[in-house]
Short mmCIF file of all heavy atoms in Angstrom, two decimals:
data_model
loop_
_atom_site.label_atom_id
_atom_site.label_comp_id
_atom_site.label_asym_id
_atom_site.label_seq_id
_atom_site.Cartn_x
_atom_site.Cartn_y
_atom_site.Cartn_z
N ILE A 295 73.54 101.80 37.60
CA ILE A 295 73.98 100.61 36.96
C ILE A 295 74.15 100.89 35.48
O ILE A 295 73.16 101.37 34.85
CB ILE A 295 72.99 99.43 37.19
CG1 ILE A 295 72.88 99.13 38.70
CG2 ILE A 295 73.43 98.14 36.44
CD1 ILE A 295 71.74 98.10 39.10
N VAL A 296 75.22 100.59 34.91
CA VAL A 296 75.38 100.70 33.47
C VAL A 296 75.23 99.36 32.82
O VAL A 296 76.05 98.42 33.03
CB VAL A 296 76.79 101.31 33.06
CG1 VAL A 296 76.89 101.58 31.57
CG2 VAL A 296 77.03 102.59 33.86
N GLY A 297 74.22 99.21 31.98
CA GLY A 297 74.02 97.90 31.28
C GLY A 297 72.88 97.12 31.80
O GLY A 297 72.78 96.83 32.92
N ALA A 298 71.88 96.73 30.82
CA ALA A 298 70.79 95.98 31.22
C ALA A 298 70.91 94.53 30.59
O ALA A 298 70.02 94.06 29.92
CB ALA A 298 69.53 96.65 30.76
N GLY A 299 72.06 93.91 30.76
CA GLY A 299 72.24 92.53 30.41
C GLY A 299 71.83 91.73 31.72
O GLY A 299 71.27 92.35 32.69
N PRO A 300 72.04 90.43 31.69
CA PRO A 300 71.68 89.65 32.91
C PRO A 300 72.32 90.21 34.16
O PRO A 300 71.67 90.26 35.24
CB PRO A 300 72.22 88.24 32.64
CG PRO A 300 72.44 88.21 31.13
CD PRO A 300 72.62 89.65 30.65
N ALA A 301 73.62 90.68 34.16
CA ALA A 301 74.21 91.11 35.39
C ALA A 301 73.60 92.42 35.91
O ALA A 301 73.15 92.45 37.09
CB ALA A 301 75.73 91.48 35.10
N GLY A 302 73.38 93.42 35.05
CA GLY A 302 72.81 94.63 35.54
C GLY A 302 71.35 94.49 36.01
O GLY A 302 70.93 95.04 37.01
N LEU A 303 70.57 93.75 35.20
CA LEU A 303 69.11 93.57 35.61
C LEU A 303 69.01 92.82 36.86
O LEU A 303 68.25 93.12 37.78
CB LEU A 303 68.42 92.84 34.45
CG LEU A 303 68.24 93.62 33.20
CD1 LEU A 303 67.84 92.73 31.99
CD2 LEU A 303 67.12 94.73 33.35
N VAL A 319 71.13 102.31 33.12
CA VAL A 319 71.23 103.02 31.88
C VAL A 319 71.80 102.05 30.82
O VAL A 319 72.84 101.46 30.99
CB VAL A 319 72.26 104.16 32.09
CG1 VAL A 319 72.49 104.93 30.80
CG2 VAL A 319 71.82 105.16 33.21
N GLU A 320 71.00 101.92 29.78
CA GLU A 320 71.29 100.84 28.74
C GLU A 320 71.34 101.50 27.35
O GLU A 320 70.48 102.24 27.02
CB GLU A 320 70.27 99.71 28.80
CG GLU A 320 70.13 98.84 27.60
CD GLU A 320 71.41 97.96 27.37
OE1 GLU A 320 71.88 97.35 28.30
OE2 GLU A 320 71.88 97.99 26.17
N SER A 321 72.37 101.12 26.49
CA SER A 321 72.48 101.83 25.27
C SER A 321 71.50 101.22 24.17
O SER A 321 71.17 101.90 23.27
CB SER A 321 73.92 101.82 24.72
OG SER A 321 74.40 100.44 24.76
N GLN A 322 71.05 99.98 24.39
CA GLN A 322 70.21 99.34 23.33
C GLN A 322 68.79 99.52 23.70
O GLN A 322 68.46 99.94 24.82
CB GLN A 322 70.52 97.83 23.25
CG GLN A 322 71.98 97.53 22.86
CD GLN A 322 72.28 97.89 21.42
OE1 GLN A 322 71.38 98.04 20.58
NE2 GLN A 322 73.57 97.98 21.09
N HIS A 326 65.75 94.95 21.57
CA HIS A 326 67.09 94.42 21.23
C HIS A 326 67.62 93.46 22.35
O HIS A 326 67.98 92.33 22.08
CB HIS A 326 68.09 95.52 20.97
CG HIS A 326 69.46 95.05 20.63
ND1 HIS A 326 69.82 94.87 19.32
CD2 HIS A 326 70.52 94.69 21.41
CE1 HIS A 326 71.08 94.41 19.29
NE2 HIS A 326 71.47 94.29 20.57
N ILE A 327 67.60 93.93 23.61
CA ILE A 327 68.13 93.02 24.62
C ILE A 327 67.27 91.79 24.89
O ILE A 327 67.76 90.79 25.38
CB ILE A 327 68.40 93.84 25.97
CG1 ILE A 327 67.13 94.32 26.59
CG2 ILE A 327 69.47 94.90 25.76
CD1 ILE A 327 67.31 94.54 28.08
N ARG A 330 68.18 89.33 21.85
CA ARG A 330 69.59 88.94 21.46
C ARG A 330 69.93 87.51 21.81
O ARG A 330 69.78 87.10 22.96
CB ARG A 330 70.52 89.89 22.31
CG ARG A 330 71.90 89.97 22.01
CD ARG A 330 72.60 91.17 22.61
NE ARG A 330 72.15 91.45 23.97
CZ ARG A 330 72.50 92.56 24.65
NH1 ARG A 330 73.17 93.50 24.07
NH2 ARG A 330 72.07 92.68 25.88
N ARG A 332 71.91 84.45 22.83
CA ARG A 332 73.13 84.15 23.54
C ARG A 332 73.07 82.73 24.03
O ARG A 332 72.30 81.93 23.51
CB ARG A 332 73.28 85.11 24.78
CG ARG A 332 73.50 86.49 24.40
CD ARG A 332 75.00 86.78 24.10
NE ARG A 332 75.30 88.17 23.82
CZ ARG A 332 75.65 89.07 24.66
NH1 ARG A 332 75.56 88.83 26.00
NH2 ARG A 332 75.96 90.31 24.33
N ALA A 333 73.83 82.37 25.06
CA ALA A 333 73.86 81.00 25.56
C ALA A 333 72.64 80.64 26.37
O ALA A 333 71.68 81.38 26.35
CB ALA A 333 75.13 80.79 26.41
N GLY A 334 72.59 79.44 26.87
CA GLY A 334 71.30 78.98 27.49
C GLY A 334 71.38 77.95 28.58
O GLY A 334 70.42 77.33 28.85
N GLN A 389 69.22 82.73 27.57
CA GLN A 389 69.61 83.93 28.31
C GLN A 389 68.60 85.06 28.05
O GLN A 389 68.31 85.82 28.97
CB GLN A 389 70.99 84.32 27.91
CG GLN A 389 71.49 85.52 28.65
CD GLN A 389 72.96 85.84 28.42
OE1 GLN A 389 73.77 84.83 28.45
NE2 GLN A 389 73.31 86.99 28.10
N VAL A 393 66.50 87.53 30.61
CA VAL A 393 66.49 88.98 30.45
C VAL A 393 65.03 89.49 30.48
O VAL A 393 64.65 90.43 31.14
CB VAL A 393 67.27 89.44 29.23
CG1 VAL A 393 66.95 90.88 28.81
CG2 VAL A 393 68.79 89.22 29.40
N ALA A 411 69.96 104.84 25.75
CA ALA A 411 70.82 105.98 26.08
C ALA A 411 72.00 106.00 25.31
O ALA A 411 72.62 105.03 24.86
CB ALA A 411 71.20 105.68 27.62
N ASP A 412 72.43 107.25 24.93
CA ASP A 412 73.75 107.27 24.20
C ASP A 412 74.71 108.23 24.92
O ASP A 412 74.38 108.93 25.85
CB ASP A 412 73.63 107.46 22.74
CG ASP A 412 72.99 108.79 22.31
OD1 ASP A 412 73.73 109.71 22.52
OD2 ASP A 412 71.87 108.74 21.85
N SER A 413 75.97 108.25 24.43
CA SER A 413 77.07 109.02 25.02
C SER A 413 77.15 108.81 26.53
O SER A 413 77.20 109.71 27.32
CB SER A 413 76.84 110.50 24.66
OG SER A 413 76.61 110.73 23.43
N VAL A 414 77.07 107.52 26.93
CA VAL A 414 77.06 107.23 28.36
C VAL A 414 78.58 107.36 28.86
O VAL A 414 79.54 106.90 28.25
CB VAL A 414 76.71 105.77 28.64
CG1 VAL A 414 76.66 105.41 30.08
CG2 VAL A 414 75.27 105.54 28.01
N SER A 415 78.73 108.10 30.00
CA SER A 415 80.05 108.23 30.58
C SER A 415 79.91 108.20 32.18
O SER A 415 78.90 108.57 32.62
CB SER A 415 80.76 109.53 30.09
OG SER A 415 79.99 110.65 30.48
N GLY A 444 79.38 98.63 37.06
CA GLY A 444 79.74 98.49 35.61
C GLY A 444 79.36 97.12 35.16
O GLY A 444 80.10 96.16 35.32
N CYS A 445 78.12 97.07 34.53
CA CYS A 445 77.54 95.73 34.05
C CYS A 445 77.38 95.86 32.53
O CYS A 445 76.38 95.36 32.00
CB CYS A 445 76.22 95.49 34.78
SG CYS A 445 76.31 95.39 36.54
N ASP A 446 78.32 96.49 31.87
CA ASP A 446 78.01 96.91 30.47
C ASP A 446 78.80 95.98 29.50
O ASP A 446 79.13 96.43 28.37
CB ASP A 446 78.43 98.36 30.20
CG ASP A 446 79.73 98.82 30.75
OD1 ASP A 446 80.34 98.12 31.47
OD2 ASP A 446 80.12 100.04 30.45
N GLY A 447 79.09 94.75 29.95
CA GLY A 447 79.66 93.79 29.03
C GLY A 447 81.19 94.05 28.59
O GLY A 447 81.76 95.01 29.05
N PHE A 448 81.60 93.18 27.74
CA PHE A 448 83.10 93.25 27.41
C PHE A 448 83.45 94.52 26.66
O PHE A 448 84.48 95.07 26.84
CB PHE A 448 83.42 92.02 26.57
CG PHE A 448 84.85 91.94 26.24
CD1 PHE A 448 85.81 91.78 27.21
CD2 PHE A 448 85.28 91.94 24.90
CE1 PHE A 448 87.17 91.76 26.97
CE2 PHE A 448 86.62 91.87 24.62
CZ PHE A 448 87.57 91.80 25.60
N ARG A 449 82.48 95.05 25.88
CA ARG A 449 82.88 96.24 25.05
C ARG A 449 82.24 97.52 25.68
O ARG A 449 82.07 98.53 24.94
CB ARG A 449 82.37 96.05 23.59
CG ARG A 449 83.04 94.83 22.97
CD ARG A 449 82.80 94.67 21.55
NE ARG A 449 83.36 93.40 21.18
CZ ARG A 449 84.61 93.09 21.06
NH1 ARG A 449 85.53 94.03 21.24
NH2 ARG A 449 85.02 91.83 20.75
N GLY A 450 81.93 97.44 26.95
CA GLY A 450 81.32 98.65 27.56
C GLY A 450 82.30 99.73 27.86
O GLY A 450 83.50 99.68 27.54
N ILE A 451 81.83 100.81 28.51
CA ILE A 451 82.65 101.98 28.80
C ILE A 451 83.25 102.00 30.16
O ILE A 451 84.10 102.80 30.49
CB ILE A 451 82.06 103.32 28.49
CG1 ILE A 451 80.64 103.38 29.27
CG2 ILE A 451 81.80 103.55 27.01
CD1 ILE A 451 80.62 104.14 30.49
N CYS A 452 82.72 101.20 31.09
CA CYS A 452 83.13 101.36 32.53
C CYS A 452 84.64 100.92 32.66
O CYS A 452 85.39 101.67 33.30
CB CYS A 452 82.20 100.58 33.35
SG CYS A 452 80.53 101.30 33.50
N ALA A 571 81.03 93.89 37.04
CA ALA A 571 80.39 92.60 37.24
C ALA A 571 80.11 91.96 35.84
O ALA A 571 79.79 92.66 34.87
CB ALA A 571 79.14 92.72 38.04
N GLY A 572 80.10 90.66 35.79
CA GLY A 572 79.78 89.96 34.50
C GLY A 572 80.80 90.11 33.45
O GLY A 572 81.97 90.31 33.75
N ASP A 573 80.41 90.18 32.24
CA ASP A 573 81.33 90.23 31.06
C ASP A 573 82.15 91.56 31.11
O ASP A 573 83.22 91.56 30.45
CB ASP A 573 80.57 90.25 29.70
CG ASP A 573 80.22 88.78 29.27
OD1 ASP A 573 80.31 87.88 30.11
OD2 ASP A 573 79.79 88.61 28.11
N ALA A 574 81.75 92.50 31.81
CA ALA A 574 82.60 93.77 31.90
C ALA A 574 83.92 93.45 32.58
O ALA A 574 84.92 94.14 32.40
CB ALA A 574 81.84 94.85 32.66
N ALA A 575 83.86 92.39 33.44
CA ALA A 575 85.09 92.08 34.23
C ALA A 575 85.78 90.77 33.69
O ALA A 575 87.01 90.68 33.93
CB ALA A 575 84.70 91.87 35.71
N HIS A 576 85.02 89.93 33.05
CA HIS A 576 85.66 88.66 32.66
C HIS A 576 84.85 88.02 31.54
O HIS A 576 83.67 88.16 31.45
CB HIS A 576 85.78 87.68 33.81
CG HIS A 576 84.58 87.69 34.69
ND1 HIS A 576 83.33 87.14 34.29
CD2 HIS A 576 84.39 88.21 35.97
CE1 HIS A 576 82.47 87.33 35.28
NE2 HIS A 576 83.05 87.98 36.27
N ILE A 577 85.60 87.29 30.66
CA ILE A 577 84.97 86.56 29.57
C ILE A 577 85.50 85.13 29.64
O ILE A 577 86.73 84.91 29.83
CB ILE A 577 85.42 87.17 28.19
CG1 ILE A 577 84.93 88.59 28.00
CG2 ILE A 577 85.03 86.33 27.02
CD1 ILE A 577 83.43 88.69 27.60
N VAL A 578 84.63 84.18 29.34
CA VAL A 578 85.09 82.85 29.27
C VAL A 578 84.73 82.32 27.83
O VAL A 578 83.71 82.71 27.30
CB VAL A 578 84.52 81.87 30.32
CG1 VAL A 578 85.15 82.08 31.63
CG2 VAL A 578 83.00 82.08 30.39
N LYS A 584 79.71 78.90 31.09
CA LYS A 584 79.88 79.52 32.38
C LYS A 584 79.54 81.13 32.41
O LYS A 584 79.38 81.63 33.48
CB LYS A 584 81.27 79.37 32.95
CG LYS A 584 81.63 77.98 33.41
CD LYS A 584 81.01 77.76 34.78
CE LYS A 584 80.91 76.32 35.10
NZ LYS A 584 79.65 75.62 34.80
N GLY A 585 79.49 81.78 31.27
CA GLY A 585 79.42 83.27 31.20
C GLY A 585 78.28 83.82 32.09
O GLY A 585 78.47 84.58 32.94
N LEU A 586 77.07 83.35 31.76
CA LEU A 586 75.87 83.89 32.49
C LEU A 586 75.89 83.54 33.98
O LEU A 586 75.54 84.32 34.85
CB LEU A 586 74.67 83.31 31.77
CG LEU A 586 73.28 83.60 32.51
CD1 LEU A 586 72.98 85.04 32.66
CD2 LEU A 586 72.16 82.87 31.73
N ASN A 587 76.42 82.36 34.25
CA ASN A 587 76.45 81.83 35.65
C ASN A 587 77.44 82.69 36.49
O ASN A 587 77.20 82.92 37.64
CB ASN A 587 76.77 80.38 35.69
CG ASN A 587 75.64 79.55 34.99
OD1 ASN A 587 74.52 79.55 35.48
ND2 ASN A 587 75.97 78.98 33.76
N LEU A 588 78.50 83.02 35.86
CA LEU A 588 79.53 83.84 36.61
C LEU A 588 78.92 85.25 36.82
O LEU A 588 79.14 85.84 37.91
CB LEU A 588 80.82 84.02 35.79
CG LEU A 588 81.84 82.91 35.81
CD1 LEU A 588 83.05 83.27 34.92
CD2 LEU A 588 82.26 82.61 37.25
N ALA A 589 78.22 85.77 35.87
CA ALA A 589 77.61 87.11 36.00
C ALA A 589 76.59 87.03 37.21
O ALA A 589 76.57 87.98 38.09
CB ALA A 589 76.85 87.57 34.78
N ALA A 590 75.81 85.98 37.34
CA ALA A 590 74.87 85.83 38.40
C ALA A 590 75.57 85.77 39.69
O ALA A 590 75.20 86.39 40.71
CB ALA A 590 74.02 84.63 38.17
N1 APR B 726 76.22 102.16 27.98
C1 APR B 726 75.11 101.47 28.38
N2 APR B 726 74.93 100.19 28.21
C2 APR B 726 75.94 99.53 27.58
C3 APR B 726 77.11 100.21 27.06
C4 APR B 726 77.15 101.59 27.30
N3 APR B 726 78.29 102.30 26.85
N4 APR B 726 77.86 99.28 26.47
C5 APR B 726 77.20 98.08 26.56
N5 APR B 726 76.06 98.25 27.22
C6 APR B 726 75.05 97.19 27.51
C7 APR B 726 74.92 96.19 26.33
O1 APR B 726 73.99 96.72 25.40
C8 APR B 726 74.30 95.05 27.13
O2 APR B 726 72.88 95.06 27.12
O3 APR B 726 75.42 96.42 28.59
C9 APR B 726 74.79 95.14 28.54
C10 APR B 726 75.86 94.08 28.81
O4 APR B 726 75.24 92.80 28.81
P1 APR B 726 75.90 91.47 28.47
O5 APR B 726 76.95 91.61 27.39
O6 APR B 726 74.80 90.43 28.23
O7 APR B 726 76.82 91.20 29.69
P2 APR B 726 76.42 90.62 31.21
O8 APR B 726 75.16 91.27 31.69
O9 APR B 726 77.65 90.69 32.00
O10 APR B 726 76.05 89.10 30.95
C11 APR B 726 76.84 88.01 31.06
O11 APR B 726 77.08 85.86 30.05
O12 APR B 726 76.46 84.16 28.52
C12 APR B 726 77.36 85.22 28.79
O13 APR B 726 78.43 86.74 27.33
C13 APR B 726 77.20 86.24 27.74
O14 APR B 726 76.04 88.27 27.89
C14 APR B 726 76.39 87.24 28.57
C15 APR B 726 77.09 87.20 29.84
#
Side-chain angles (χ1 to χ4, degrees):
I295 301 176
V296 186
L303 289 164
V319 179
E320 161 65 50
S321 54
Q322 300 288 343
H326 179 93
I327 64 156
R330 191 163 43 191
R332 293 277 181 88
Q389 181 170 312
V393 164
D412 65 70
S413 313
V414 181
S415 60
C445 301
D446 50 350
F448 183 61
R449 300 189 190 285
I451 52 100
C452 289
D573 277 14
H576 40 71
I577 295 280
V578 283
K584 289 281 164 268
L586 171 60
N587 296 294
L588 279 180

